[in-house]
Amino acid sequence: MNNLPRQAFVIGAGVAGMAAAIRLRLQGFEVTVFEKNEYPGGKLSSFTKNDYHFDAGPSLFTRAALVAELFQAAGEPMEAYFSFEKLPIACHYFYEDGTQLKAYADPADFANELFQKLGE
């Protein structure tokens, strides 16, 4: 029988790469993650310029249930690491022609906004 450890290599330490690495580790793999940046997180990053701190991360947090599921699988309390609040408007879209859309979290409200603003 093969007694070699099961190994996995993950390219990229963004959200998906880290989630894959955690799930693989939970399945007993020895995991090595390769990342081109000096920090993990991919788009989940920030930077400071002069006295100001800027969030450079994504503007929209989707599939929160998958994040909660990952923490649960790992036996870690998500609340110990971060918290989030579902807002009625997820984000705003601004187009060159002056059109502005509100991306409502409620699908019916968002569909109504699309119909009112785009007629579709």
Side-chain angles (χ1 to χ4, degrees):
M1 179 143 214
N2 186 348
N3 290 330
L4 293 175
R6 297 188 311 167
Q7 295 183 347
F9 300 94
V10 177
I11 309 299
V15 174
M18 295 302 286
I22 290 167
R23 290 185 186 281
L24 287 164
R25 183 68 190 117
L26 291 171
Q27 292 178 20
F29 284 84
E30 289 184 16
V31 181
T32 303
V33 179
F34 295 94
E35 172 57 48
K36 69 176 180 174
N37 294 317
E38 296 177 7
Y39 55 87
K43 291 181 181 179
L44 296 177
S45 63
S46 62
F47 64 93
T48 301
K49 184 162 178 132
N50 299 325
D51 292 333
Y52 298 98
H53 189 80
F54 298 91
D55 176 14
S59 60
L60 191 59
F61 180 43
T62 59
R63 309 293 301 264
L66 293 178
V67 176
E69 177 186 297
L70 181 61
F71 273 90
Q72 184 178 15
E76 290 288 330
M78 186 170 70
E79 300 79 20
Y81 296 89
F82 72 95
S83 63
F84 64 94
E85 175 184 345
K86 185 175 182 176
L87 299 174
I89 298 174
C91 64
H92 296 261
Y93 294 102
F94 301 89
Y95 297 91
E96 289 182 16
D97 69 357
T99 301
Q100 296 182 23
L101 293 174
K102 294 177 184 174
Y104 289 95
D106 179 77
D109 290 342
F110 190 35
N112 186 47
E113 173 79 352
L114 291 171
F115 181 75
Q116 286 183 6
K117 300 289 177 72
L118 304 176
E120 298 180 21

